[in-house]
PDB file of all heavy atoms in Angstrom:
ATOM      1  N   ARG A 173     -13.049   0.618  -3.965  1.00  0.00           N
ATOM      2  CA  ARG A 173     -13.243   1.038  -2.571  1.00  0.00           C
ATOM      3  C   ARG A 173     -12.823   2.494  -2.342  1.00  0.00           C
ATOM      4  O   ARG A 173     -12.879   2.987  -1.229  1.00  0.00           O
ATOM      5  CB  ARG A 173     -12.431   0.138  -1.626  1.00  0.00           C
ATOM      6  CG  ARG A 173     -12.713  -1.355  -1.785  1.00  0.00           C
ATOM      7  CD  ARG A 173     -14.125  -1.699  -1.333  1.00  0.00           C
ATOM      8  NE  ARG A 173     -14.363  -3.129  -1.357  1.00  0.00           N
ATOM      9  CZ  ARG A 173     -14.875  -3.794  -2.391  1.00  0.00           C
ATOM     10  NH1 ARG A 173     -15.189  -3.143  -3.499  1.00  0.00           N
ATOM     11  NH2 ARG A 173     -15.073  -5.092  -2.330  1.00  0.00           N
ATOM     12  N   VAL A 174     -12.375   3.163  -3.392  1.00  0.00           N
ATOM     13  CA  VAL A 174     -11.797   4.498  -3.249  1.00  0.00           C
ATOM     14  C   VAL A 174     -12.859   5.575  -3.427  1.00  0.00           C
ATOM     15  O   VAL A 174     -13.686   5.504  -4.336  1.00  0.00           O
ATOM     16  CB  VAL A 174     -10.669   4.700  -4.285  1.00  0.00           C
ATOM     17  CG1 VAL A 174     -10.333   6.169  -4.450  1.00  0.00           C
ATOM     18  CG2 VAL A 174      -9.421   3.938  -3.859  1.00  0.00           C
ATOM     19  N   ASP A 175     -12.841   6.572  -2.526  1.00  0.00           N
ATOM     20  CA  ASP A 175     -13.551   7.819  -2.751  1.00  0.00           C
ATOM     21  C   ASP A 175     -12.666   8.941  -2.216  1.00  0.00           C
ATOM     22  O   ASP A 175     -11.575   8.694  -1.701  1.00  0.00           O
ATOM     23  CB  ASP A 175     -14.934   7.811  -2.092  1.00  0.00           C
ATOM     24  CG  ASP A 175     -14.866   7.518  -0.585  1.00  0.00           C
ATOM     25  OD1 ASP A 175     -13.914   7.983   0.076  1.00  0.00           O
ATOM     26  OD2 ASP A 175     -15.761   6.808  -0.076  1.00  0.00           O
ATOM     27  N   ASN A 176     -13.127  10.161  -2.322  1.00  0.00           N
ATOM     28  CA  ASN A 176     -12.282  11.281  -1.924  1.00  0.00           C
ATOM     29  C   ASN A 176     -11.929  11.257  -0.444  1.00  0.00           C
ATOM     30  O   ASN A 176     -10.903  11.780  -0.028  1.00  0.00           O
ATOM     31  CB  ASN A 176     -12.974  12.604  -2.266  1.00  0.00           C
ATOM     32  CG  ASN A 176     -12.997  12.861  -3.762  1.00  0.00           C
ATOM     33  OD1 ASN A 176     -12.147  12.365  -4.487  1.00  0.00           O
ATOM     34  ND2 ASN A 176     -13.982  13.621  -4.223  1.00  0.00           N
ATOM     35  N   ALA A 177     -12.785  10.634   0.371  1.00  0.00           N
ATOM     36  CA  ALA A 177     -12.552  10.624   1.817  1.00  0.00           C
ATOM     37  C   ALA A 177     -11.465   9.628   2.226  1.00  0.00           C
ATOM     38  O   ALA A 177     -10.751   9.859   3.197  1.00  0.00           O
ATOM     39  CB  ALA A 177     -13.850  10.311   2.547  1.00  0.00           C
ATOM     40  N   ASN A 178     -11.357   8.508   1.496  1.00  0.00           N
ATOM     41  CA  ASN A 178     -10.415   7.473   1.944  1.00  0.00           C
ATOM     42  C   ASN A 178      -9.298   7.194   0.957  1.00  0.00           C
ATOM     43  O   ASN A 178      -8.519   6.267   1.150  1.00  0.00           O
ATOM     44  CB  ASN A 178     -11.169   6.168   2.231  1.00  0.00           C
ATOM     45  CG  ASN A 178     -11.796   5.556   0.983  1.00  0.00           C
ATOM     46  OD1 ASN A 178     -11.548   5.991  -0.139  1.00  0.00           O
ATOM     47  ND2 ASN A 178     -12.611   4.540   1.174  1.00  0.00           N
ATOM     48  N   ARG A 179      -9.193   7.987  -0.117  1.00  0.00           N
ATOM     49  CA  ARG A 179      -8.203   7.711  -1.162  1.00  0.00           C
ATOM     50  C   ARG A 179      -6.785   7.657  -0.592  1.00  0.00           C
ATOM     51  O   ARG A 179      -6.014   6.735  -0.861  1.00  0.00           O
ATOM     52  CB  ARG A 179      -8.285   8.768  -2.257  1.00  0.00           C
ATOM     53  CG  ARG A 179      -7.313   8.508  -3.409  1.00  0.00           C
ATOM     54  CD  ARG A 179      -7.408   9.611  -4.450  1.00  0.00           C
ATOM     55  NE  ARG A 179      -8.756   9.715  -4.965  1.00  0.00           N
ATOM     56  CZ  ARG A 179      -9.241   8.944  -5.923  1.00  0.00           C
ATOM     57  NH1 ARG A 179      -8.490   7.981  -6.424  1.00  0.00           N
ATOM     58  NH2 ARG A 179     -10.470   9.110  -6.348  1.00  0.00           N
ATOM     59  N   GLY A 180      -6.420   8.665   0.201  1.00  0.00           N
ATOM     60  CA  GLY A 180      -5.067   8.709   0.740  1.00  0.00           C
ATOM     61  C   GLY A 180      -4.768   7.527   1.649  1.00  0.00           C
ATOM     62  O   GLY A 180      -3.681   6.951   1.611  1.00  0.00           O
ATOM     63  N   THR A 181      -5.748   7.141   2.462  1.00  0.00           N
ATOM     64  CA  THR A 181      -5.547   6.021   3.389  1.00  0.00           C
ATOM     65  C   THR A 181      -5.350   4.709   2.633  1.00  0.00           C
ATOM     66  O   THR A 181      -4.447   3.931   2.941  1.00  0.00           O
ATOM     67  CB  THR A 181      -6.761   5.895   4.325  1.00  0.00           C
ATOM     68  OG1 THR A 181      -6.882   7.103   5.085  1.00  0.00           O
ATOM     69  CG2 THR A 181      -6.589   4.724   5.278  1.00  0.00           C
ATOM     70  N   ILE A 182      -6.213   4.462   1.635  1.00  0.00           N
ATOM     71  CA  ILE A 182      -6.105   3.206   0.886  1.00  0.00           C
ATOM     72  C   ILE A 182      -4.823   3.163   0.068  1.00  0.00           C
ATOM     73  O   ILE A 182      -4.142   2.135   0.015  1.00  0.00           O
ATOM     74  CB  ILE A 182      -7.354   3.013  -0.002  1.00  0.00           C
ATOM     75  CG1 ILE A 182      -8.564   2.694   0.880  1.00  0.00           C
ATOM     76  CG2 ILE A 182      -7.137   1.904  -1.030  1.00  0.00           C
ATOM     77  CD1 ILE A 182      -9.852   2.484   0.119  1.00  0.00           C
ATOM     78  N   PHE A 183      -4.471   4.273  -0.560  1.00  0.00           N
ATOM     79  CA  PHE A 183      -3.241   4.297  -1.340  1.00  0.00           C
ATOM     80  C   PHE A 183      -2.032   4.087  -0.439  1.00  0.00           C
ATOM     81  O   PHE A 183      -1.096   3.359  -0.779  1.00  0.00           O
ATOM     82  CB  PHE A 183      -3.126   5.623  -2.095  1.00  0.00           C
ATOM     83  CG  PHE A 183      -1.949   5.682  -3.036  1.00  0.00           C
ATOM     84  CD1 PHE A 183      -1.768   4.703  -3.999  1.00  0.00           C
ATOM     85  CD2 PHE A 183      -1.024   6.712  -2.959  1.00  0.00           C
ATOM     86  CE1 PHE A 183      -0.696   4.748  -4.873  1.00  0.00           C
ATOM     87  CE2 PHE A 183       0.054   6.774  -3.825  1.00  0.00           C
ATOM     88  CZ  PHE A 183       0.218   5.803  -4.793  1.00  0.00           C
ATOM     89  N   ALA A 184      -2.036   4.719   0.747  1.00  0.00           N
ATOM     90  CA  ALA A 184      -0.937   4.522   1.692  1.00  0.00           C
ATOM     91  C   ALA A 184      -0.855   3.067   2.143  1.00  0.00           C
ATOM     92  O   ALA A 184       0.232   2.485   2.248  1.00  0.00           O
ATOM     93  CB  ALA A 184      -1.113   5.444   2.897  1.00  0.00           C
ATOM     94  N   GLY A 185      -2.032   2.460   2.406  1.00  0.00           N
ATOM     95  CA  GLY A 185      -2.042   1.057   2.798  1.00  0.00           C
ATOM     96  C   GLY A 185      -1.487   0.156   1.716  1.00  0.00           C
ATOM     97  O   GLY A 185      -0.747  -0.804   1.990  1.00  0.00           O
ATOM     98  N   TYR A 186      -1.815   0.459   0.467  1.00  0.00           N
ATOM     99  CA  TYR A 186      -1.299  -0.328  -0.662  1.00  0.00           C
ATOM    100  C   TYR A 186       0.218  -0.168  -0.784  1.00  0.00           C
ATOM    101  O   TYR A 186       0.940  -1.144  -1.019  1.00  0.00           O
ATOM    102  CB  TYR A 186      -1.996   0.116  -1.938  1.00  0.00           C
ATOM    103  CG  TYR A 186      -1.554  -0.636  -3.172  1.00  0.00           C
ATOM    104  CD1 TYR A 186      -1.668  -2.021  -3.249  1.00  0.00           C
ATOM    105  CD2 TYR A 186      -1.028   0.039  -4.278  1.00  0.00           C
ATOM    106  CE1 TYR A 186      -1.276  -2.712  -4.383  1.00  0.00           C
ATOM    107  CE2 TYR A 186      -0.630  -0.644  -5.406  1.00  0.00           C
ATOM    108  CZ  TYR A 186      -0.764  -2.023  -5.463  1.00  0.00           C
ATOM    109  OH  TYR A 186      -0.353  -2.693  -6.587  1.00  0.00           O
ATOM    110  N   MET A 187       0.704   1.065  -0.626  1.00  0.00           N
ATOM    111  CA  MET A 187       2.145   1.300  -0.691  1.00  0.00           C
ATOM    112  C   MET A 187       2.876   0.535   0.417  1.00  0.00           C
ATOM    113  O   MET A 187       3.913  -0.094   0.185  1.00  0.00           O
ATOM    114  CB  MET A 187       2.434   2.804  -0.578  1.00  0.00           C
ATOM    115  CG  MET A 187       2.020   3.618  -1.788  1.00  0.00           C
ATOM    116  SD  MET A 187       2.290   5.398  -1.545  1.00  0.00           S
ATOM    117  CE  MET A 187       4.080   5.463  -1.429  1.00  0.00           C
ATOM    118  N   ILE A 188       2.326   0.584   1.626  1.00  0.00           N
ATOM    119  CA  ILE A 188       2.968  -0.085   2.760  1.00  0.00           C
ATOM    120  C   ILE A 188       2.987  -1.597   2.544  1.00  0.00           C
ATOM    121  O   ILE A 188       4.013  -2.258   2.751  1.00  0.00           O
ATOM    122  CB  ILE A 188       2.256   0.270   4.075  1.00  0.00           C
ATOM    123  CG1 ILE A 188       2.479   1.751   4.410  1.00  0.00           C
ATOM    124  CG2 ILE A 188       2.745  -0.614   5.218  1.00  0.00           C
ATOM    125  CD1 ILE A 188       1.624   2.254   5.556  1.00  0.00           C
ATOM    126  N   ALA A 189       1.840  -2.162   2.121  1.00  0.00           N
ATOM    127  CA  ALA A 189       1.783  -3.605   1.880  1.00  0.00           C
ATOM    128  C   ALA A 189       2.758  -4.014   0.785  1.00  0.00           C
ATOM    129  O   ALA A 189       3.455  -5.040   0.900  1.00  0.00           O
ATOM    130  CB  ALA A 189       0.359  -4.015   1.495  1.00  0.00           C
ATOM    131  N   SER A 190       2.842  -3.218  -0.272  1.00  0.00           N
ATOM    132  CA  SER A 190       3.724  -3.545  -1.394  1.00  0.00           C
ATOM    133  C   SER A 190       5.192  -3.464  -1.003  1.00  0.00           C
ATOM    134  O   SER A 190       5.963  -4.409  -1.203  1.00  0.00           O
ATOM    135  CB  SER A 190       3.449  -2.601  -2.576  1.00  0.00           C
ATOM    136  OG  SER A 190       2.138  -2.747  -3.048  1.00  0.00           O
ATOM    137  N   MET A 191       5.572  -2.339  -0.416  1.00  0.00           N
ATOM    138  CA  MET A 191       6.996  -2.121  -0.151  1.00  0.00           C
ATOM    139  C   MET A 191       7.495  -2.970   1.015  1.00  0.00           C
ATOM    140  O   MET A 191       8.620  -3.462   0.991  1.00  0.00           O
ATOM    141  CB  MET A 191       7.253  -0.637   0.111  1.00  0.00           C
ATOM    142  CG  MET A 191       6.842   0.269  -1.035  1.00  0.00           C
ATOM    143  SD  MET A 191       7.252  -0.388  -2.683  1.00  0.00           S
ATOM    144  CE  MET A 191       9.028  -0.599  -2.539  1.00  0.00           C
ATOM    145  N   SER A 192       6.662  -3.168   2.031  1.00  0.00           N
ATOM    146  CA  SER A 192       7.096  -4.023   3.140  1.00  0.00           C
ATOM    147  C   SER A 192       7.205  -5.469   2.663  1.00  0.00           C
ATOM    148  O   SER A 192       8.100  -6.213   3.091  1.00  0.00           O
ATOM    149  CB  SER A 192       6.124  -3.919   4.316  1.00  0.00           C
ATOM    150  OG  SER A 192       4.815  -4.315   3.946  1.00  0.00           O
ATOM    151  N   GLY A 193       6.309  -5.878   1.756  1.00  0.00           N
ATOM    152  CA  GLY A 193       6.394  -7.226   1.199  1.00  0.00           C
ATOM    153  C   GLY A 193       7.657  -7.421   0.396  1.00  0.00           C
ATOM    154  O   GLY A 193       8.362  -8.440   0.553  1.00  0.00           O
ATOM    155  N   VAL A 194       7.978  -6.481  -0.473  1.00  0.00           N
ATOM    156  CA  VAL A 194       9.205  -6.579  -1.274  1.00  0.00           C
ATOM    157  C   VAL A 194      10.437  -6.608  -0.378  1.00  0.00           C
ATOM    158  O   VAL A 194      11.334  -7.441  -0.545  1.00  0.00           O
ATOM    159  CB  VAL A 194       9.298  -5.411  -2.275  1.00  0.00           C
ATOM    160  CG1 VAL A 194      10.668  -5.379  -2.935  1.00  0.00           C
ATOM    161  CG2 VAL A 194       8.222  -5.545  -3.343  1.00  0.00           C
ATOM    162  N   GLY A 195      10.477  -5.689   0.598  1.00  0.00           N
ATOM    163  CA  GLY A 195      11.636  -5.633   1.487  1.00  0.00           C
ATOM    164  C   GLY A 195      11.802  -6.907   2.293  1.00  0.00           C
ATOM    165  O   GLY A 195      12.913  -7.451   2.389  1.00  0.00           O
ATOM    166  N   ALA A 196      10.712  -7.409   2.851  1.00  0.00           N
ATOM    167  CA  ALA A 196      10.795  -8.645   3.631  1.00  0.00           C
ATOM    168  C   ALA A 196      11.173  -9.828   2.753  1.00  0.00           C
ATOM    169  O   ALA A 196      11.945 -10.706   3.165  1.00  0.00           O
ATOM    170  CB  ALA A 196       9.456  -8.910   4.326  1.00  0.00           C
ATOM    171  N   GLY A 197      10.655  -9.852   1.518  1.00  0.00           N
ATOM    172  CA  GLY A 197      10.994 -10.940   0.603  1.00  0.00           C
ATOM    173  C   GLY A 197      12.466 -10.982   0.266  1.00  0.00           C
ATOM    174  O   GLY A 197      13.064 -12.066   0.148  1.00  0.00           O
ATOM    175  N   GLN A 198      13.084  -9.814   0.126  1.00  0.00           N
ATOM    176  CA  GLN A 198      14.512  -9.775  -0.169  1.00  0.00           C
ATOM    177  C   GLN A 198      15.338 -10.354   0.968  1.00  0.00           C
ATOM    178  O   GLN A 198      16.385 -10.963   0.738  1.00  0.00           O
ATOM    179  CB  GLN A 198      14.935  -8.328  -0.459  1.00  0.00           C
ATOM    180  CG  GLN A 198      14.383  -7.798  -1.771  1.00  0.00           C
ATOM    181  CD  GLN A 198      14.581  -6.309  -1.951  1.00  0.00           C
ATOM    182  OE1 GLN A 198      14.913  -5.588  -0.999  1.00  0.00           O
ATOM    183  NE2 GLN A 198      14.386  -5.821  -3.155  1.00  0.00           N
ATOM    184  N   PHE A 199      14.847 -10.206   2.192  1.00  0.00           N
ATOM    185  CA  PHE A 199      15.598 -10.712   3.342  1.00  0.00           C
ATOM    186  C   PHE A 199      15.363 -12.205   3.586  1.00  0.00           C
ATOM    187  O   PHE A 199      15.947 -12.769   4.510  1.00  0.00           O
ATOM    188  CB  PHE A 199      15.260  -9.898   4.586  1.00  0.00           C
ATOM    189  CG  PHE A 199      16.001  -8.595   4.656  1.00  0.00           C
ATOM    190  CD1 PHE A 199      15.425  -7.428   4.188  1.00  0.00           C
ATOM    191  CD2 PHE A 199      17.295  -8.544   5.157  1.00  0.00           C
ATOM    192  CE1 PHE A 199      16.115  -6.228   4.229  1.00  0.00           C
ATOM    193  CE2 PHE A 199      18.002  -7.349   5.202  1.00  0.00           C
ATOM    194  CZ  PHE A 199      17.405  -6.187   4.738  1.00  0.00           C
ATOM    195  N   ILE A 200      14.536 -12.842   2.758  1.00  0.00           N
ATOM    196  CA  ILE A 200      14.430 -14.301   2.812  1.00  0.00           C
ATOM    197  C   ILE A 200      15.646 -14.938   2.142  1.00  0.00           C
ATOM    198  O   ILE A 200      16.019 -16.072   2.463  1.00  0.00           O
ATOM    199  CB  ILE A 200      13.126 -14.766   2.142  1.00  0.00           C
ATOM    200  CG1 ILE A 200      11.916 -14.230   2.907  1.00  0.00           C
ATOM    201  CG2 ILE A 200      13.044 -16.289   2.046  1.00  0.00           C
ATOM    202  CD1 ILE A 200      10.584 -14.501   2.219  1.00  0.00           C
TER     203      ILE A 200
END
């Protein structure tokens, strides 16, 4: 789904989903 126009947005979304998931999981 990546091209030069949306690369930063998709990568940022992946980082947010990953790190928020890890952080929330630790608080379980």
Side-chain angles (χ1 to χ4, degrees):
R173 305 292 186 268
V174 163
D175 56 37
N176 288 334
N178 65 9
R179 182 182 302 277
T181 299
I182 289 180
F183 186 54
Y186 181 58
M187 290 176 65
I188 292 170
S190 298
M191 301 319 302
S192 60
V194 170
Q198 290 170 346
F199 280 95
I200 297 173

